[in-house]
Amino acid sequence: MSRGTIVDKIWDAHHVVRGDGGLDLIYIDLHLVHEVTSPQAFEGLRLAGRRVRRPDRTMATIDHNVPTDDPFVIDDPIAKKQIDVLRENCRDFGVPLFDLDSDRRGIVHIIGPELGLTQPGMTIVCGDSHTSTHGAFGALAFGIGTSEVEHVLATQTLWQAPPKTMKVNIVGTRHPAVTAKDIILGRSSPPLSC
């Protein structure tokens, strides 16, 4: 039975099993991949003889190493290598890639909402700290590390501690010029009153 908050409801709908140390294994609906945090993860799969569990729920784009002046001229040899390795990994593992010539490519945490990939109630991960911004669309999203990227690629699941939530009560009538952002950033003692 689902609990009260949207976070609880999404968590409960994606919960697979409780593990040791308070961690839960949750199913991941969408895994966004880019060229910086994925090379070691794909190599780990390759060395273990594993495949990507759900390439249809995995999307890759070239993001962090794209020059702003001309995206097709990449002078930095490390950046070029990371891009080439992502292309190779996506081809080898059957992961869709929005390459530099794709009109669907872009910043990894922006294309999900732009392309309609991010939907309310989903769990989303990416090796990028900005991934949590998908929460603005009613999703539960986590920025993850390279070893977690490999785990999600292999299993379409993630070990995660249930997130803490906080209840905010607004007492009184909110002034029309006061937005949710003002409330969340506001600091008051005693408790915030509008």
Side-chain angles (χ1 to χ4, degrees), residues 188-193:
S188 177
S189 184
L192 180 63
S193 179

Side-chain angles (χ1 to χ4, degrees), residues 33-194:
V33 176
H34 59 83
E35 74 277 14
V36 177
T37 58
S38 67
Q40 300 90 339
F42 279 113
E43 188 60 20
L45 293 181
R46 195 174 273 111
L47 292 172
R50 294 187 174 123
R51 61 182 180 83
V52 172
R53 173 85 171 103
R54 293 290 308 268
D56 60 318
R57 302 306 308 155
T58 307
M59 299 291 163
T61 192
I62 297 169
D63 172 334
H64 288 67
N65 291 317
V66 180
T68 55
D69 53 352
D70 185 347
F72 298 101
V73 178
I74 301 167
D75 295 325
D76 183 316
I78 294 172
K80 183 169 182 355
K81 177 71 173 171
Q82 286 180 324
I83 290 169
D84 291 342
V85 167
L86 180 64
R87 288 176 176 141
E88 177 184 331
N89 286 330
C90 288
R91 184 182 61 246
D92 292 352
F93 288 93
V95 171
L97 170 65
F98 303 136
D99 208 330
L100 293 177
D101 59 352
S102 171
D103 61 351
R104 300 183 71 162
R105 74 163 171 90
I107 298 168
V108 73
H109 59 276
I110 302 296
I111 64 168
E114 282 183 344
L115 300 176
L117 302 173
T118 299
Q119 295 291 315
M122 292 179 78
T123 53
I124 302 173
V125 295
C126 179
D128 186 289
S129 62
H130 299 283
T131 305
S132 61
T133 60
H134 294 267
F137 298 91
L140 185 57
F142 304 97
I144 60 176
T146 298
S147 59
E148 293 169 313
V149 169
E150 181 180 348
H151 187 274
V152 175
L153 287 171
T155 68
Q156 204 61 32
T157 62
L158 176 67
W159 287 104
Q160 192 79 357
K164 294 179 181 178
T165 59
M166 178 176 67
K167 183 177 181 178
V168 176
N169 286 322
I170 308 300
V171 179
T173 304
R174 178 185 57 82
H175 186 279
V178 175
T179 67
K181 186 175 181 180
D182 297 317
I183 292 169
I184 206 72
L185 293 175
R187 184 168 181 237
S188 177
S189 184
L192 180 63
S193 179
C194 296

